[in-house]
Amino acid sequence: MQKTIKQTASCTGIGITGQTDSTVIFHPAPPDTGIVFIREDLPGKPEVPCRPDYARVEARWTSLVNNDIRIEHTEHLLAAIAGLGLDNLKVSVSSPFIPVVSSFSSRGFVQTLLQAGLVLQDRPKRCFHVKEPVCIINPFFHQEKRYDRFLLALPAPELTLTYLLDYPGKEIPTQLAQFSFDNSFDFASELATARSYITESEYETVFKLIGKSIEDCLILAKGPVDLQWDNEPARHKVLDLLGDIHTMGRPVKGHFIGIRTGHKDNNQLCQKLQMQIKEVL
C-alpha cells in the first residue's frame, strides 16, 4: 500500500553552496500525489513534481528543474524518501537548495520523517518495473589512459543496488556495496548514515563549488580516516544512486549495477528508463 507521513515536520541546514541556510518542511499528501516540491520563497509558491524529465546534473549533485524553477541537491532527500518507502509528500523548500544534513548523508531527513510518523494509505503502490536490460557506458581519462563507467539496470522482483567503487589511481581502495530493499533491510541503520566524501586531491576544486559546506564533507586523505564501515564510500554511492533513481517519481523494481558511476550516469539511465515507462503506458 502507498505511504505518507502522519504530520508535518521540518529540518534545516546549510545550502550546498555554503552561502545561506535552507529549510525543508514535509507535509502529508493524498494517495497518488507522488513527491512534489514547493518553492515557498517565490511568488505563487510554484511546484516542481518529481519526474525524470525534470532531472538535471549540472554540477556535483542532482537537481529538478521545471520552467526555470529549480530544486537543487535532491539526491539525499529523495534517498530518504525512497528508503523509507514513502510515496506521497509535499516538500516545501525555503530556497532553491535542499539543505545539507548529517555530513551529506540522509540521516537527518530520515530522523525527521520517522518523527513525523509513517502511515499507510488505502491505495496500492504504483511501481515501475524494469522490463528489459538498459546499459550506460561512459568513458573518462586518468593520466592519459582511458577507463569506462558502467551502469546497468536489469529486471528483478525487488530493488537491488550494487556498486563497485574502483578509482584508477587507487586514492580509495576498491570496494563493493550491495543492498536489496526488501522487508528485512534496515535502511536507516545500514545506508542512510553513509556520508559523502571527496579525495584530498579534489579539495580545492570542490571548495570553490560549495564553499564552507565542505566542512560537512568526509575528506579521504592518505592518513587514517574514521569510517563507519570499511566500504562507507561505496555505500554512499549506493545512497546517491537510490536518490537519483527516485527522480523517476515512483518506486522502481530492478537490479541496478554501477561501476565507477556518478550522478550524470544515473541521470542518463533514468532518461532511458523513462522510455520504457512511455512504452508500458
Side-chain angles (χ1 to χ4, degrees):
M1 303 302 288
Q2 294 182 30
K3 191 185 298 184
T4 188
I5 55 176
K6 293 181 180 179
Q7 60 188 11
T8 298
S10 67
C11 61
T12 298
I14 192 170
I16 194 168
T17 58
Q19 296 174 346
T20 184
D21 284 347
S22 183
T23 298
V24 291
I25 305 175
F26 300 101
H27 306 273
D32 296 331
T33 298
I35 310 302
V36 180
F37 292 91
I38 305 168
R39 281 288 301 276
E40 293 283 345
D41 59 316
L42 295 179
K45 299 181 180 180
E47 297 185 350
V48 181
C50 188
R51 291 172 39 172
D53 47 323
Y54 292 163
R56 304 284 187 273
V57 180
E58 299 158 345
R60 292 175 65 101
W61 57 82
T62 301
S63 304
L64 295 169
V65 184
N66 181 22
N67 294 325
D68 296 324
I69 307 301
R70 305 185 67 87
I71 308 294
E72 303 269 1
H73 181 217
T74 57
E75 58 268 22
H76 303 146
L77 185 147
L78 288 179
I81 290 171
L84 293 177
L86 289 161
D87 302 277
N88 304 300
L89 285 175
K90 292 286 187 80
V91 185
S92 298
V93 190
S94 67
S95 80
F97 301 101
I98 301 295
V100 174
V101 298
S102 313
S103 299
F104 285 92
S105 74
S106 293
R107 178 168 57 88
F109 298 128
V110 167
Q111 290 174 337
T112 299
L113 290 166
L114 290 176
Q115 288 169 4
L118 312 184
V119 58
L120 292 175
Q121 298 174 290
D122 61 351
R123 204 76 56 85
K125 281 185 179 290
R126 301 171 60 203
C127 297
F128 169 60
H129 294 259
V130 177
K131 298 295 182 181
E132 58 185 35
V134 177
C135 186
I136 296 290
I137 304 174
N138 286 317
F140 69 99
F141 291 85
H142 177 76
Q143 296 180 351
E144 300 183 353
K145 182 178 180 181
R146 173 179 164 150
Y147 296 86
D148 290 298
R149 307 191 306 267
F150 298 90
L151 184 57
L152 179 66
L154 299 170
E158 298 292 341
L159 177 62
T160 297
L161 303 181
T162 302
Y163 192 89
L164 178 67
L165 188 152
D166 182 36
Y167 280 73
K170 302 302 178 187
E171 295 175 277
I172 304 173
T174 299
Q175 51 191 253
L176 179 72
Q178 176 171 300
F179 299 97
S180 293
F181 292 76
D182 53 25
N183 292 332
S184 65
F185 177 58
D186 188 349
F187 168 76
S189 65
E190 292 297 320
L191 191 58
T193 63
R195 298 166 291 176
S196 185
Y197 65 91
I198 60 171
T199 61
E200 193 172 30
S201 62
E202 296 176 300
Y203 186 91
E204 292 300 327
T205 300
V206 177
F207 181 76
K208 292 176 182 178
L209 188 64
I210 69 175
K212 69 177 183 180
S213 62
I214 202 170
E215 297 170 3
D216 291 307
C217 199
L218 180 63
I219 301 170
L220 299 179
K222 293 182 179 179
V225 179
D226 186 17
L227 297 175
Q228 298 176 83
W229 308 274
D230 289 342
N231 67 341
E232 184 172 3
R235 290 189 190 218
H236 185 81
K237 287 290 192 177
V238 171
L239 189 73
D240 280 346
L241 178 58
L242 175 64
D244 287 343
I245 290 172
H246 211 61
T247 60
M248 300 295 292
R250 52 174 159 158
V252 179
K253 305 291 188 183
H255 188 177
F256 293 76
I257 303 168
I259 302 173
R260 305 190 185 109
T261 46
H263 294 299
K264 290 184 179 181
D265 310 290
N266 301 344
N267 181 253
Q268 288 179 25
L269 186 71
C270 287
Q271 301 308 313
K272 282 197 172 184
L273 288 175
Q274 184 185 14
M275 300 308 298
Q276 286 194 21
I277 293 177
K278 290 180 179 178
E279 291 173 5
V280 171
L281 295 177

